[in-house]
Amino acid sequence: GIQVEQSPPDLILQEGANSTLRCNFSDSVNNLQWFHQNPWGQLINLFYIPSGTKQNGRLSATTVATERYSLLYISSSQTTDSGVYFCAVLFSGAGSYQLTFGKGTKLSVIP
Amino acid sequence: EAQVTQNPRYLITVTGKKLTVTCSQNMNHEYMSWYRQDPGLGLRQIYYSMNVEVTDKGDVPEGYKVSRKEKRNFPLILESPSPNQTSLYFCASSSEQGQETQYFGPGTRLLVL
């Protein structure tokens, strides 16, 4: 199956700092999403981004499908950004539908 | 409001006592899935369904059953729960053959004693 690797596994930031999270995947995929899991366990959609660049406020994401990686940028981090960030890739076709998650990046933003 | 709902949100049970976790979506999505999340292992797909009466195994289907009799509902059944099924469970749905955003439910925390 498809392998998804995220880095770094853990990240501690001072409030106001910027960061880049990376997601590498091992094969061509149909789509890619970034999620934020908050401290209460909820999974929140951040971006649906099979290719290209998207921005939403302080967050932006870029996926280079031909090179099999995606980046999530967090600017001017806030304590509410803390949690775990997951990348998930979808392979669908020939009767299968497999969504594979990376193991996540745990982000802690300290005041 | 577009949403995926799961019930119950929290459940404590004992080994061997059959249970069902319900999942419902109001977006008329064809695709629905179940995942479990465990520390150090991330989220793993248990079962998925591409439409009514069509279900298939994901990465970790052992010990679970599902059914898809209606488009909106996709219950997860544990016929004889065991302690190794203690986990956080998520249901998700999407449309357009999965080419769009996956919407996740709020999660169900299950403890099997």
Side-chain angles (χ1 to χ4, degrees):
Chain A
I2 294 173
Q3 306 298 314
V4 181
E5 293 184 0
Q6 290 186 244
S7 59
D10 295 279
L11 184 59
I12 300 174
L13 293 178
Q14 197 79 38
E15 198 169 24
N18 303 328
S19 64
T20 301
L21 282 57
R22 187 175 179 103
C23 171
N24 292 333
F25 45 98
S26 62
D27 208 340
S28 299
V29 296
N30 299 94
N31 80 40
L32 183 146
Q33 281 187 255
W34 284 97
F35 295 91
H36 175 216
Q37 188 169 37
N38 65 22
W40 295 270
Q42 287 182 297
L43 280 167
I44 300 162
N45 293 306
L46 296 177
F47 294 102
Y48 165 78
I49 186 164
S51 63
T53 297
K54 290 187 178 179
Q55 179 151 10
N56 184 4
R58 296 181 296 103
L59 303 182
S60 65
T62 295
T63 296
V64 183
T66 52
E67 297 187 23
R68 299 179 185 165
Y69 73 88
S70 183
L71 302 173
L72 177 69
Y73 306 96
I74 304 173
S75 64
S76 304
S77 58
Q78 301 175 358
T79 55
T80 52
D81 294 331
S82 296
V84 183
Y85 289 81
F86 289 102
C87 158
V89 300
L90 176 74
F91 175 79
S92 66
S96 71
Y97 178 78
Q98 182 177 8
L99 186 70
T100 303
F101 283 77
K103 289 198 167 51
T105 292
K106 184 176 180 181
L107 175 65
S108 301
V109 181
I110 55 177
Chain B
E1 179 190 355
Q3 60 182 355
V4 179
T5 56
Q6 294 178 227
N7 282 291
R9 295 288 313 280
Y10 304 91
L11 180 60
I12 301 174
T13 190
V14 295
T15 299
K17 186 176 181 182
K18 181 179 178 179
L19 66 92
T20 299
V21 184
T22 64
C23 173
S24 183
Q25 50 92 6
N26 63 0
M27 296 167 279
N28 202 36
H29 284 168
E30 293 84 11
Y31 285 72
M32 298 186 75
S33 308
W34 276 102
Y35 302 86
R36 61 177 289 174
Q37 184 177 19
D38 302 289
L41 298 176
L43 284 97
R44 295 175 292 168
Q45 192 173 41
I46 303 171
Y47 269 96
Y48 62 92
S49 170
M50 292 193 283
N51 215 325
V52 176
E53 301 293 358
V54 180
T55 64
D56 212 339
K57 297 177 181 178
D59 295 321
V60 288
E62 294 79 18
Y64 304 95
K65 285 176 58 177
V66 292
S67 70
R68 187 90 181 275
K69 293 183 169 53
E70 307 165 280
K71 199 172 189 180
R72 64 182 292 126
N73 296 323
F74 190 44
L76 180 70
I77 303 157
L78 285 71
E79 294 268 2
S80 183
S82 62
N84 65 12
Q85 292 179 297
T86 292
S87 189
L88 175 58
Y89 292 86
F90 289 99
C91 178
S93 73
S94 68
S95 66
E96 298 291 331
Q97 298 187 11
Q99 302 301 314
E100 292 192 353
T101 301
Q102 296 274 325
Y103 292 87
F104 278 79
T108 295
R109 291 190 182 273
L110 172 64
L111 173 61
V112 183
L113 301 172

